[in-house]
Amino acid sequence: MEKTIRFLRILRWFVPVPGVFLCWWTLPAFGRVPAVLMGIIASVWLWIILRDGVSMLIGQGIVREIGRTIRRYGNVDHLIEIRRIRSGVIARVYLIGQSASIEPVRRSLTECLDHSGLREYLWVMQVTQMRSRSDLKKTRMLLNRELLDALRERDTK
């Protein structure tokens, strides 16, 4: 998967090539301004598709590794939430039910993501525990507040 992500990131820099060809091929039929606009629109559209594809692959890889790690740790009911922001990826793991401690799970998740090479894409990982799935909304609000407080604290330093 790392090779695919690297390939797509390199391919993004060649996005203007199809736009230039589109402009060149449509120039005689539509004229200069429409041809240039179509080339620019095609290039931007392809750039967005490649950027979203890279983000999707990174998110799927993180979810796959987190799921494997939690299954190895034990049969724990869980939810995984992936959010993409400009700085990177935020991964949230909600462990559902009463379990002894989430610290061993957090440690094994960190080790697994470090080993898989996905840690460089992960900006923040939050692991928390809930009693039931109905507590998701309240827990999400608490994690959002915690994340904002951490960001504010980091910005003031």
Side-chain angles (χ1 to χ4, degrees):
M1 184 180 79
E2 185 66 31
K3 289 180 181 178
T4 306
I5 292 171
R6 193 174 323 123
F7 173 73
L8 289 176
R9 285 193 163 183
I10 291 171
L11 188 63
R12 278 193 315 196
W13 294 105
F14 294 101
V15 161
V17 174
V20 168
F21 281 128
L22 181 67
C23 179
W24 182 57
W25 287 327
T26 58
L27 187 63
F30 296 107
R32 181 176 294 157
V33 174
V36 169
L37 285 176
M38 284 190 283
I40 291 171
I41 290 170
S43 295
V44 170
W45 180 65
L46 188 56
W47 177 273
I48 291 170
I49 288 174
L50 288 173
R51 185 196 64 196
D52 290 347
V54 167
S55 296
M56 183 185 66
L57 285 174
I58 291 169
Q60 286 175 349
I62 290 172
V63 167
R64 189 178 319 113
E65 290 300 321
I66 289 173
R68 276 190 209 146
T69 302
I70 290 177
R71 279 191 297 278
R72 256 187 267 132
Y73 180 73
N75 194 9
V76 179
D77 192 17
H78 63 280
L79 293 172
I80 302 170
E81 179 181 7
I82 301 292
R83 298 284 177 166
R84 185 186 63 148
I85 59 173
R86 186 167 291 197
S87 304
V89 175
I90 296 174
R92 290 183 175 164
V93 180
Y94 303 96
L95 302 174
I96 302 169
Q98 297 296 341
S99 155
S101 174
I102 63 171
E103 199 53 42
V105 175
R106 184 189 316 263
R107 231 178 293 120
S108 62
L109 285 173
T110 303
E111 289 172 7
C112 177
L113 289 172
D114 285 342
H115 181 69
S116 70
L118 293 169
R119 184 72 178 157
E120 69 182 84
Y121 304 111
L122 191 63
W123 191 56
V124 175
M125 183 174 68
Q126 296 176 312
V127 181
T128 190
Q129 196 170 9
M130 301 186 307
R131 281 190 289 255
S132 67
R133 289 182 184 261
S134 61
D135 295 336
L136 180 64
K137 195 171 194 175
K138 183 174 66 174
T139 306
R140 187 179 286 157
M141 294 296 288
L142 289 171
L143 289 176
N144 285 342
R145 198 171 308 126
E146 180 183 302
L147 182 62
L148 284 174
D149 290 343
L151 288 173
R152 286 185 192 127
E153 185 178 307
R154 191 184 79 175
D155 285 343
T156 58
K157 289 183 177 179

